[in-house]
Amino acid sequence: MDIKFIRMPVKENLINLKKTFINSSCLLIAVSKTKPVSILKEAYEAGIRDFGENKVQELVEKQFQMPKDIRWHMIGHLQRNKVKYIAPFVYMIHAVDSLRLLQEIDKQAEKNGRIISCLLQIHIAMEDTKFGFNEEELEFLLSSEEIHQLKHIEISGLMGMATFTENEKQIRSEFSMLKALFEKLRKRDLPDNFNLKELSMGMSGDYLIAQEEGSTMVRIGTAIFGERN
Ligand SMILES: *Cc1c(COP(=O)(O)O)cnc(C)c1O
């Protein structure tokens, strides 16, 4: 998997990328972090309506400058004190990793008269640098009293990032673990604010494996916009 992505027009990259999809109904989120608005507009012109960013300030600035029918996905680690800046417009928050963050999102969503879709980030990688719930923490969340009180969020699914490795077997087993957890949870009696339907897994280097393992949304940057500095 040492494909190097050549900087081609965004539109061509998108067409080529879509051709490789194993599951055509898997949502493509264009990860535009660090890229200028002019490049995002190329993707918009080519039909992209779902954009992913990982920094609050950049997300807010781009949302302001881009068309209003875009669905903005916050895909990065989110600090509680910054939720208020994105709560008015964000479509989905992918990397929720604590009850306290969920409570803050709920509070800010209520202020804005919204229900915000959230994905729980699950720790599937071997690296301990990646955020997310482990199974024990997830059970704790599910059994808490507090989770039931959150009326302005919807837990729409799970998100995970595989280990950064060339080892495809490793990546596949991590995605497969996440899919199994997703299906196991879906069979359970969950709080009312759960509606598990999305599995956000897969990036430029591993989206095909992710799709084979049941991903419903892939977050792809480099393969669309070229390498980041
Ligand atoms: C940057 C990023 C991506 C996209 O990575 P690429 O390898 O450029 O496709 C996906 N998910 C998250 C959480 C990211 O931060």
Side-chain angles (χ1 to χ4, degrees):
M1 271 192 301
D2 54 352
I3 310 157
K4 283 278 166 284
F5 299 101
I6 303 156
R7 173 76 176 97
M8 284 205 285
V10 164
K11 188 176 178 183
E12 270 176 58
N13 286 346
L14 281 167
I15 291 167
N16 291 333
L17 180 65
K18 273 288 195 168
K19 274 191 213 152
T20 66
F21 271 31
I22 290 160
N23 172 8
S24 59
S25 64
C26 181
L27 180 71
L28 170 59
I29 300 169
V31 176
S32 49
K33 61 191 187 195
T34 77
K35 300 296 173 183
V37 163
S38 58
I39 307 287
L40 274 68
K41 286 193 171 148
E42 284 183 43
Y44 183 87
E45 292 302 322
I48 293 291
R49 291 297 177 271
D50 291 87
F51 286 85
E53 289 283 338
N54 71 339
K55 294 216 165 68
V56 166
Q57 192 182 341
E58 196 176 338
L59 177 53
V60 170
E61 281 167 14
K62 286 175 173 169
Q63 188 267 343
F64 184 68
Q65 297 175 66
M66 291 287 290
K68 295 301 162 224
D69 60 342
I70 288 173
R71 292 180 291 263
W72 292 98
H73 298 254
M74 174 61 194
I75 61 170
H77 183 67
L78 178 58
Q79 288 172 310
R80 275 178 296 138
N81 61 356
K82 294 191 175 161
V83 174
K84 56 178 175 285
Y85 302 116
I86 62 171
F89 66 87
V90 71
Y91 175 72
M92 188 176 275
I93 299 177
H94 285 236
V96 175
D97 62 357
S98 72
L99 175 60
R100 290 169 79 202
L101 178 57
L102 272 179
Q103 288 170 317
E104 179 62 19
I105 296 169
D106 184 72
K107 181 175 143 193
Q108 298 299 335
E110 180 172 17
K111 278 191 190 168
N112 286 279
R114 304 187 63 211
I115 292 175
I116 297 179
S117 275
C118 297
L119 305 181
L120 300 179
Q121 182 172 6
I122 308 297
H123 186 276
I124 53 171
M126 289 198 304
E127 301 140 9
D128 41 64
T129 51
K130 293 201 172 129
F131 299 98
F133 289 95
N134 61 34
E135 287 220 35
E136 191 186 338
E137 292 162 342
L138 187 62
E139 286 307 324
F140 186 78
L141 176 76
L142 291 172
S143 64
S144 71
E145 286 286 314
E146 291 91 337
I147 187 77
H148 296 272
Q149 291 154 16
L150 309 179
K151 308 287 186 205
H152 293 84
I153 53 148
E154 180 189 271
I155 309 282
S156 313
L158 306 179
M159 178 266 203
M161 289 172 81
T163 305
F164 187 71
T165 174
E166 303 272 307
N167 184 344
E168 283 195 24
K169 258 178 81 180
Q170 176 71 30
I171 296 170
R172 187 178 299 282
S173 88
E174 291 170 2
F175 285 153
S176 150
M177 234 162 54
L178 184 56
K179 167 72 169 173
L181 175 63
F182 180 67
E183 293 304 338
K184 196 171 92 183
L185 286 176
R186 268 150 60 100
K187 293 201 185 86
R188 276 173 57 173
D189 189 21
L190 295 167
D192 287 345
N193 46 19
F194 275 67
N195 178 20
L196 297 182
K197 50 189 194 281
E198 303 294 354
L199 195 49
S200 169
M201 57 184 198
M203 318 191 347
S204 293
D206 57 20
Y207 70 95
L208 288 176
I209 304 173
Q211 287 185 343
E212 282 169 356
E213 297 303 325
S215 172
T216 68
M217 26 175 65
V218 288
R219 310 174 310 272
I220 299 187
T222 310
I224 300 171
F225 299 110
E227 303 278 354
R228 287 177 297 273
N229 295 328

